[in-house]
Amino acid sequence: VQLVESGGGSVQAGGSLRLSCAASGFPFDDWAIGWFRQAPGKAREGLVCIRNSDGGTWYEDRAKGRLTIHSDKAKNTVYLQMNSLEPEDTAVYYCAADRLGCSGYGISIYEFDKWGQGTQVTVAS
């Protein structure tokens, strides 16, 4: 299993970024993908996930309205569109995969077994 995040970078407050999570080594159409982030000195927290089997999604409150998840099965890639970014969004962003993840009752790091290496997002005020 391999997950590779990309698309991170530095932006001004109010800007946008689109992160990508390229997946390989597992049946992409049957697994769930989640996006998480970890700011310096803080615990890793869940943002949004998608079940590729039926397209179901779950957004944590912190993600609603500004973040959108999209899965492209033809490319085995999941995208995270982030708009109206704020300095508080500065963190390393990770994608994760699991066969049974994204159950619809929140997003937990314990639901996901496979992880990417992360991509840094820095939002300047």
Side-chain angles (χ1 to χ4, degrees):
V1 174
Q2 187 173 23
L3 300 167
V4 180
E5 302 97 334
S6 61
S10 297
V11 296
Q12 293 293 117
S16 299
L17 283 174
R18 188 180 76 158
L19 306 183
S20 300
C21 174
S24 61
F26 63 93
F28 184 81
D29 289 5
D30 297 331
W31 282 41
I33 303 291
W35 281 100
F36 298 77
R37 69 184 181 188
Q38 187 166 18
K42 295 188 177 181
R44 192 169 299 188
E45 59 184 11
L47 295 171
V48 58
C49 60
I50 186 167
R51 294 190 303 271
N52 284 321
S53 58
D54 64 4
T57 59
W58 179 272
Y59 286 81
E60 292 288 353
D61 287 345
R62 64 179 68 89
K64 290 178 180 177
R66 298 189 302 125
L67 275 59
T68 304
I69 193 169
H70 170 68
S71 182
D72 186 335
K73 292 183 179 181
K75 296 182 178 180
N76 277 18
T77 299
V78 172
Y79 301 96
L80 181 66
Q81 178 67 41
M82 304 191 296
N83 299 325
S84 301
L85 287 165
E86 303 168 349
E88 294 72 24
D89 295 315
T90 295
V92 178
Y93 284 70
Y94 299 89
C95 66
D98 196 89
R99 187 173 65 86
L100 300 177
C102 204
S103 60
Y105 298 96
I107 307 166
S108 168
I109 61 173
Y110 303 107
E111 272 192 292
F112 290 84
D113 189 46
K114 310 299 181 184
W115 292 81
Q117 82 289 347
T119 185
Q120 176 71 46
V121 171
T122 302
V123 184
S125 58

